[in-house]
Amino acid sequence: IGMTDQVAAATRGRTVIAARCGDHGLTPPARGPGGEGDARAGASRQSTGRCGEDLAATYLEDIGWKILERNWRPDHGLRGELDIIALEPAAAHHEPGSASVADPEEAWARPRLVIVEVKTRSSLRQGPPAAAVDARKVARLRALAAAWASTHETPPHAGMRLDVVSILLRDARPALLRHHRAVDASWG
């Protein structure tokens, strides 16, 4: 059974699904500065992030997207990482106003290149996962996306878009996934 078989709700412009992440091995972070507690907290954050990225990639593949690359980092210059670079099928973005080229019909006939930032949390103590994607983060992602595009041959596409997949991992219950489409205006 694919993750999309476990759909909890879907509305225009966003998707919320319930999914299970295998034994992600989350360890509660120890309190206190320095030492082993910080190392465990870092390992827990890394495990949480990896689990979320795996869920997001599976979700995108389940809805027909092609994953081009995961966890891309530039060789030099820029700092940061693109979690997922994917192609959204042409039919999937056939919505009014979604085209970024002069001829909307031409745009709808081609897939869209989508940079997907994945934000995963195991609680809402620091707010919802997607809230971590602020204007500064969007600017960094755009610069990284431009660097990626300049170093890769991409199939013909109808422009580039930035999406965020936010995931809330819950103890002994399925994770909640929300797909935030076009968090920044489409470009290129």
Side-chain angles (χ1 to χ4, degrees):
I1 294 179
M3 282 187 2
T4 53
D5 294 333
Q6 301 178 46
V7 172
T11 60
R12 183 181 169 170
R14 66 185 176 142
T15 304
V16 179
I17 67 170
R20 294 201 184 275
C21 183
D23 189 15
H24 52 74
L26 291 177
T27 306
R31 303 284 184 243
E36 184 181 329
D38 283 351
R40 273 202 340 251
S44 178
R45 278 191 301 274
Q46 189 175 20
S47 174
T48 299
R50 172 68 56 166
C51 177
E53 289 175 8
D54 290 346
L55 282 172
T58 300
Y59 157 73
L60 294 171
E61 288 172 335
D62 279 356
I63 62 171
W65 291 28
K66 180 179 179 183
I67 306 297
L68 299 178
E69 194 159 353
R70 288 182 61 181
N71 304 112
W72 180 83
R73 291 179 180 272
D75 289 333
H76 59 301
L78 292 172
R79 291 180 49 209
E81 173 182 280
L82 295 177
D83 294 332
I84 298 174
I85 299 105
L87 279 176
E88 175 187 35
H93 63 85
H94 195 273
E95 300 174 14
S98 68
S100 62
V101 296
D103 181 1
E105 291 303 319
E106 180 184 331
W108 289 332
R110 295 181 302 199
R112 181 170 306 272
L113 187 63
V114 183
I115 304 304
V116 181
E117 175 69 5
V118 181
K119 288 296 178 189
T120 309
R121 292 196 172 154
S122 56
S123 78
L124 294 174
R125 282 188 302 257
Q126 296 179 339
V133 182
D134 58 12
R136 194 168 73 204
K137 178 74 171 180
V138 167
R140 180 178 297 148
L141 291 169
R142 288 184 76 152
L144 286 165
W148 182 88
S150 72
T151 60
H152 291 75
E153 285 191 34
T154 59
H157 58 85
M160 202 178 306
R161 187 179 77 215
L162 173 62
D163 288 4
V164 173
V165 171
S166 61
I167 298 173
L168 178 63
L169 301 176
R170 306 178 304 163
D171 289 334
R173 293 183 297 170
L176 293 178
L177 181 153
R178 183 171 178 190
H179 187 171
H180 310 263
R181 297 172 190 265
V183 297
D184 190 28
S186 297
W187 75 91

